[in-house]
């Protein structure tokens, strides 16, 4: 004689149903339910059952819980601009995104090549990368910075503007980047003319010097 425990068998089927169940939405702190519908426990062959929004189907053991809140929720502008990592918002926006064009505003011929002045390949490669960055080149070729710049001394933005304008004005030729080389010590004090430097390091110091030229004061 074989004895079958019907209660245990039923519990096993029910556990299978719970493992296959899915819930949509989250349960709030006050016990309220944010979901409008949920799929209850299912058995093989059963169709999903939709429950009314008034009932709340909480998480069940073994169930996969999905958040019903859309990922792209419209937030207030101040919340979008605020940083969640504790970094304060910039006090001044140098270049508003709506004014930047990621494409070339005007079609240009390939600019001039840069002559190696003696271990200046690090400088030439970085300058060529900046020269052919469309948003930066568009701004420099518009001469907008020099029209409002009142810096009597060294200004990396003015130096870069003059270089980019010279490159595109001498298409098909080779020019010497003397304007940038003469300011090498101002870009970074440890750079030495004639010595081989790192291109990435020069690029970082150049971009940093350009940013300082756009900020008021010395900080």
């Amino acid at each position: 004689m074989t004895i079958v425990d019907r209660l245990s068998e039923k519990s096993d089927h029910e556990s299978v149903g719970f493992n296959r169940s899915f819930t949509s939405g989250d349960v709030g702190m006050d016990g309220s339910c944010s979901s409008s519908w949920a799929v209850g426990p299912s058995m093989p062959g059963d169709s999903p059952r939709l429950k009314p929004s008034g009932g709340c189907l909480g998480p069940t053991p073994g169930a996969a819980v999905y958040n019903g809140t859309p990922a792209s929720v419209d937030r207030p502008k101040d919340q979008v601009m605020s940083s969640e990592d504790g970094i304060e918002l910039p006090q001044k926006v140098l270049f508003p995104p709506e004014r930047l064009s990621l494409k070339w505003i005007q079609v240009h011929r390939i600019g001039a090549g840069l002559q190696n002045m003696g271990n200046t390949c690090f400088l030439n490669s970085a300058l060529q990368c900046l020269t052919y960055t469309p948003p930066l080149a568009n701004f420099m070729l518009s001469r907008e910075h020099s029209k409002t710049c009142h810096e009597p001394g060294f200004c990396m933005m003015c130096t870069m503007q003059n270089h980019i304008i010279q490159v595109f004005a001498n298409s098909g030729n080779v020019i010497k980047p003397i304007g940038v080389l003469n300011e090498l010590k101002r870009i970074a004090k440890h750079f030495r003319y004639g010595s081989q430097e790192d291109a990435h390091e020069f690029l970082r110091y150049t971009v940093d010097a350009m940013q300082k030229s756009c900020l008021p004061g010395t900080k």
Side-chain angles (χ1 to χ4, degrees):
M1 180 182 293
T2 302
I3 300 175
V4 179
D5 189 349
R6 297 293 180 183
L7 181 59
S8 299
E9 183 180 358
K10 182 178 180 181
S11 299
D12 293 337
H13 285 301
E14 289 179 351
S15 63
V16 173
F18 279 111
N19 289 333
R20 290 167 54 85
S21 61
F22 295 85
T23 62
S24 175
D26 293 333
V27 179
M29 296 297 294
D30 56 353
S32 61
C33 183
S34 61
S35 61
S36 59
W37 63 273
V39 179
S42 61
M43 291 287 293
D46 292 346
S47 59
R49 294 173 293 168
L50 299 181
K51 293 191 176 184
S53 58
C56 178
L57 181 61
T60 58
V65 181
Y66 294 91
N67 190 354
T69 305
S72 57
V73 179
D74 294 336
R75 299 179 180 178
K77 186 175 182 180
D78 55 346
Q79 294 184 7
V80 175
M81 295 299 294
S82 63
S83 177
E84 297 179 357
D85 55 7
I87 300 178
E88 297 181 359
L89 296 177
Q91 297 179 359
K92 179 182 179 181
V93 178
L94 298 180
F95 306 102
E98 61 272 9
R99 293 188 57 194
L100 295 179
S101 176
L102 300 181
K103 299 181 180 180
W104 292 97
I105 295 179
Q106 182 180 354
V107 179
H108 301 274
R109 296 182 59 189
I110 297 177
L114 303 182
Q115 181 177 337
N116 193 326
M117 303 297 295
N119 288 333
T120 59
C121 54
F122 72 95
L123 180 142
N124 291 352
S125 59
L127 289 180
Q128 292 289 57
C129 289
L130 292 173
T131 301
Y132 294 98
T133 300
L136 177 62
N138 290 332
F139 179 77
M140 293 300 187
L141 292 174
S142 68
R143 305 173 187 262
E144 182 176 342
H145 175 78
S146 59
K147 295 177 182 178
T148 58
C149 181
H150 303 287
E151 176 61 46
F154 168 69
C155 176
M156 190 62 210
M157 286 291 289
C158 292
T159 301
M160 184 59 64
Q161 174 183 296
N162 294 335
H163 172 77
I164 293 179
I165 291 176
Q166 185 181 7
V167 167
F168 286 105
N170 292 273
S171 178
N173 298 322
V174 177
I175 63 174
K176 300 178 181 180
I178 296 297
V180 180
L181 280 175
N182 290 339
E183 306 294 349
L184 190 61
K185 296 285 293 184
R186 296 176 181 267
I187 298 175
K189 295 181 179 180
H190 63 281
F191 284 156
R192 298 288 185 270
Y193 176 73
S195 63
Q196 180 63 53
E197 304 290 352
D198 183 73
H200 179 255
E201 185 180 12
F202 173 78
L203 178 63
R204 288 178 53 203
Y205 276 97
T206 299
V207 173
D208 186 58
M210 292 169 62
Q211 177 176 287
K212 290 180 180 179
S213 300
C214 298
L215 296 175
T218 56
K219 294 184 179 180

